[in-house]
Amino acid sequence: MINAGIVGGTGYTGVELLRILVQHPKVKLKVITSRQEAGTGVDELFSSLRGQIALKFSDPAKVDFSKCDVVFFATPNGIAMQQAKALLDSGIKVIDLAADFRIKDVAEWEKWYGMTHAAPELVAEAVYGLPEVNREKIRDARLIANPGCYPTAVQLGFIPLIEAGAVDADHLIADTKSGVSGAGRKAEIHTLYAEASDNFKSYAVPGHRHLPEIRQGLSERSNGPIGLTFVPHLTPMIRGIHATLYARLTRDVDLQTLYENRYANEPFVDVLPAGSHPETRSVRGSNFCRIAVHRPGNGDTAVILSVTDNLVKGAAGQAVQNMNIMYGLPETTGIRHVPLLP
Ligand SMILES: NC(=O)c1ccc[n+]([C@@H]2O[C@H](COP(=O)([O-])OP(=O)(O)OC[C@H]3O[C@@H](n4cnc5c(N)ncnc54)[C@H](OP(=O)(O)O)[C@@H]3O)[C@@H](O)[C@H]2O)c1
């Protein structure tokens, strides 16, 4: 069994990790932290977990991870970087769902995240946990930088075109929409019911923190810099990411065959039949990314539609997929949930 700990067990990605890990046949949860709920039973706070877990939340300042093989950080940015070194030095693997280790250029990370990096020496070692790209490196990793929710949907959507060198990589466009759980469980005005429901808006158009992460990932696939216009939107859904991606084709290519071939062996990337329009509800609660490809009017613009559940393939599910790979388990162990419909 893999003994696991979670720092930040009361947030949306934390409770999603709990939902997945209590059903995982090879994992035993040892420690779950919360500063605000220390001492509260996990299933007292989350009635969805009644009968599934006997642990209480622990204060992260007093917690002992020595019985853990792996610790997940489902915390705000800037927390994992303070604790990762001590855990790694004790032989404990770390999977960070936040952004602390995602950007290889530390100065660039500090600019976007507005803080000084506490463990810059670990950034080079950290493996970016997108299995469809880095599976081999993930196998041997001690420290995983789990991708962001938008970056997962956008990169999986663009990767086949970029790798094939079939598009103008200087002028990519990602028009993306997220459900409100993407903002986390903390109280904020813009996520209040009366603000976020029955409304639709863009945000962070001049620059969103996921832009440098997506640019880094796609540049690696194209072996050169890429140009991306990234426009996120907040939609009145609870879960879900829908990315509508546009790229100008520079040569004739059979998009359907290109995507089907690229993802033929990927258990969690589903290329839909030609002409499809994926819906966020077709992945809700699951680790799938469903993709459809279009070429309107047979012109030179490729339109790629990519949907994920931001809390699963966009966060906790992908984190568990990475853990499975790190421990040599079948990659789908414990994350084969069928999406919830309706
Ligand atoms: N929501 C998504 O769709 C999504 C997707 C991909 C990645 N992520 C990333 O995953 C991370 C967690 O996101 P979330 O949406 O689950 O956030 P959240 O709902 O706001 O939860 C944050 C958790 O971290 C704990 N925490 C806060 N400050 C802490 C500190 N200083 N030390 C230890 N624990 C602390 C909180 O509990 P206490 O305050 O009680 O300690 C809470 O359990 C973020 O970095 C986010 O960017 C989120």
Side-chain angles (χ1 to χ4, degrees):
M1 292 298 264
I2 302 165
N3 293 315
I6 300 175
V7 184
T10 56
Y12 285 148
T13 62
V15 69
E16 192 67 358
L17 270 174
L18 286 164
R19 179 176 77 93
I20 293 171
L21 292 176
V22 295
Q23 300 179 81
H24 194 292
K26 299 288 180 195
V27 171
K28 182 144 186 55
L29 280 164
K30 289 287 186 188
V31 188
I32 300 151
T33 81
S34 164
R35 299 163 308 165
Q36 291 176 47
E37 298 293 340
T40 305
V42 172
D43 65 354
E44 274 179 72
L45 186 68
F46 296 123
S47 54
S48 56
L49 294 168
R50 274 177 61 78
Q52 303 289 335
I53 185 163
L55 287 172
K56 294 184 172 176
F57 290 103
S58 306
D59 181 341
K62 299 181 187 153
V63 82
D64 174 13
F65 288 113
S66 61
K67 292 198 172 66
C68 294
D69 302 303
V70 61
V71 172
F72 295 88
F73 281 86
T75 44
N77 301 310
I79 307 298
M81 67 182 183
Q82 297 169 29
Q83 300 171 38
K85 184 170 187 315
L87 291 168
L88 295 173
D89 286 349
S90 315
I92 298 167
K93 299 187 191 220
V94 172
I95 300 176
D96 180 24
L97 278 70
D100 296 12
F101 299 102
R102 292 183 197 155
I103 308 281
K104 293 296 176 195
D105 180 336
V106 174
E108 175 89 343
W109 185 88
E110 291 182 339
K111 187 182 88 183
W112 284 94
Y113 286 89
M115 54 185 117
T116 303
H117 206 293
E121 72 282 5
L122 291 176
V123 173
E125 176 188 338
V127 175
Y128 188 67
L130 193 62
E132 292 75 10
V133 170
N134 280 335
R135 186 169 281 113
E136 291 313 314
K137 289 185 187 155
I138 293 165
R139 267 186 233 293
D140 300 323
R142 299 190 303 164
L143 172 59
I144 294 286
N146 208 59
C149 47
Y150 284 128
T152 297
V154 173
Q155 289 177 89
L156 290 176
F158 272 133
I159 278 170
L161 279 173
I162 301 279
E163 287 178 346
V167 285
D168 171 2
D170 290 333
H171 298 97
L172 305 171
I173 296 174
D175 175 355
T176 58
K177 300 99 193 163
S178 172
V180 180
S181 65
R185 190 162 171 262
K186 60 198 170 301
E188 285 181 319
I189 289 179
H190 74 281
T191 56
L192 290 172
Y193 183 75
E195 306 283 329
S197 65
D198 193 20
N199 192 26
F200 181 83
K201 65 171 186 178
S202 61
Y203 62 101
V205 178
H208 185 284
R209 286 168 168 180
H210 287 169
L211 175 64
E213 181 182 337
I214 300 168
R215 250 188 337 222
Q216 171 182 280
L218 293 181
S219 298
E220 283 170 11
R221 305 321 298 157
S222 90
N223 290 321
I226 61 107
L228 174 70
T229 301
F230 173 58
V231 182
H233 297 77
L234 189 65
T235 69
M237 304 185 285
I238 295 173
R239 290 169 182 251
I241 298 264
H242 187 300
T244 309
L245 311 174
Y246 302 88
R248 196 179 66 79
L249 294 163
T250 50
R251 64 178 170 84
D252 200 23
V253 61
D254 178 344
L255 292 177
Q256 189 69 27
T257 304
L258 178 73
Y259 276 69
E260 285 179 3
N261 288 346
R262 175 59 177 85
Y263 292 126
N265 298 316
E266 290 300 341
F268 293 114
V269 183
D270 176 25
V271 178
L272 297 174
S276 300
H277 295 82
E279 301 178 64
T280 54
R281 67 180 193 155
S282 74
V283 294
R284 187 187 297 142
S286 83
N287 201 46
F288 290 107
C289 172
R290 297 201 205 276
I291 293 177
V293 298
H294 292 263
R295 190 172 170 179
N298 209 28
D300 67 358
T301 303
V303 179
I304 313 300
L305 310 172
S306 170
V307 298
T308 58
D309 183 322
N310 54 296
L311 294 176
V312 193
K313 185 61 174 165
Q318 184 142 264
V320 175
Q321 189 179 352
N322 282 313
M323 182 203 73
N324 288 341
I325 298 170
M326 291 161 93
Y327 286 91
L329 298 173
E331 199 167 316
T332 57
T333 309
I335 41 174
R336 291 185 59 90
H337 307 100
V338 172
L340 192 63
L341 197 81

